[in-house]
Amino acid sequence: EFPSPYILFVTLNQRNPPLDDVNARLALNHATDRATLIDVVLFGAGTEATTFMPRGALFWNDELPGFPYDVAVAKDFLAKSKTPDGFKVKFTFQGGDAEATQLGTVLKDLWSQIGVDLELEPVEQGVYSDAYDNATFETMYTGWTNDIIDPDELVAYAILPESSQAFQTGWINEEAQQLARDGAAEPDPALRDEMYRRIQEI
């Protein structure tokens, strides 16, 4: 209903098969109809994310196309993956959370179009937290809201392995890591803007 530095997303743990394959992850991204998720799950109260940073946050990159919903493109990426015929993956969320349950139900239907069987795994709060903290989940419903206006907090958490291993995904990119460290120390706002925009591109 109003501008807010809050973002919801499905975290993909890329440490193990099948999500260790970038083509499998890209297939899921393009098989996700974000507009439908917003309409059905959030009753229209939201906009499609195109980067891990919340829309309107300082140095948010407004030029990124994100991952347009396209089942044909998703199938092409899956065909290039190690699991061209599809795969089974778990979606962990807190039991009793109506929003997460609805999200999982819609995702299960969307991803089935490319041969991905999404197993819904509702768990209690302690199990959910342990799964995240120990990176034992496969996919998980999570979110972020900024505590401070500066993007360094989120970028460090999302990019630097010492913060949270990139939202517990295990994702590593040396260029992004160096930019995150440089951006935190750079006093020139124009240069920081370039750095954080590049991180979002990566």
Side-chain angles (χ1 to χ4, degrees), residues 14 25 158-159 161 165-166 168-173 176-177 199 202:
Q14 67 171 50
R25 298 194 304 273
I159 303 297
Q165 298 183 42
Q168 299 294 24
T169 63
W171 182 79
I172 295 172
N173 183 284
Q177 288 177 9
I199 287 172
I202 295 168

Side-chain angles (χ1 to χ4, degrees), residues 165-188:
Q165 298 183 42
F167 276 112
Q168 299 294 24
T169 63
W171 182 79
I172 295 172
N173 183 284
E174 292 183 3
E175 181 187 355
Q177 288 177 9
Q178 189 60 54
L179 285 167
R181 294 186 177 98
D182 292 346
E186 175 57 56
D188 185 335

Side-chain angles (χ1 to χ4, degrees), residues 24-193:
R25 298 194 304 273
L26 286 167
L28 293 182
N29 263 296
H30 285 286
T32 301
D33 185 351
R34 290 162 182 78
T36 292
L37 291 177
I38 290 167
D39 287 342
V40 173
V41 181
L42 301 178
F43 303 101
T47 54
E48 295 181 42
T50 57
T51 163
F52 70 95
M53 288 178 61
R55 180 181 299 268
L58 187 64
F59 304 134
W60 173 66
N61 192 335
D62 60 355
E63 298 177 350
L64 298 178
F67 298 92
Y69 174 56
D70 192 319
V71 174
V73 170
K75 287 180 177 178
D76 286 344
F77 276 118
L78 192 67
K80 292 186 280 188
S81 76
K82 299 172 190 172
T83 51
D85 297 322
F87 54 85
K88 188 171 186 175
V89 67
K90 288 183 181 178
F91 177 63
T92 303
F93 59 97
Q94 292 184 50
D97 183 336
E99 180 179 289
T101 302
Q102 182 112 27
L103 175 75
T105 302
V106 177
L107 278 180
K108 183 176 179 67
D109 180 58
L110 289 170
W111 290 358
S112 69
Q113 297 178 90
I114 62 170
V116 172
D117 181 7
L118 186 65
E119 178 184 344
L120 304 187
E121 185 181 46
V123 296
E124 61 96 14
Q125 170 68 48
V127 175
Y128 175 89
S129 297
D130 286 344
Y132 182 80
D133 292 340
N134 298 311
T136 56
F137 66 93
E138 293 181 342
T139 74
M140 178 176 273
Y141 189 36
T142 51
W144 176 274
T145 186
N146 289 358
D147 298 310
I148 58 175
I149 192 171
D150 194 275
D152 174 61
E153 179 189 35
L154 170 54
V155 170
Y157 195 86
I159 303 297
L160 300 179
E162 61 266 27
S163 293
S164 73
Q165 298 183 42
F167 276 112
Q168 299 294 24
T169 63
W171 182 79
I172 295 172
N173 183 284
E174 292 183 3
E175 181 187 355
Q177 288 177 9
Q178 189 60 54
L179 285 167
R181 294 186 177 98
D182 292 346
E186 175 57 56
D188 185 335
L191 291 177
R192 292 191 79 208
D193 184 47

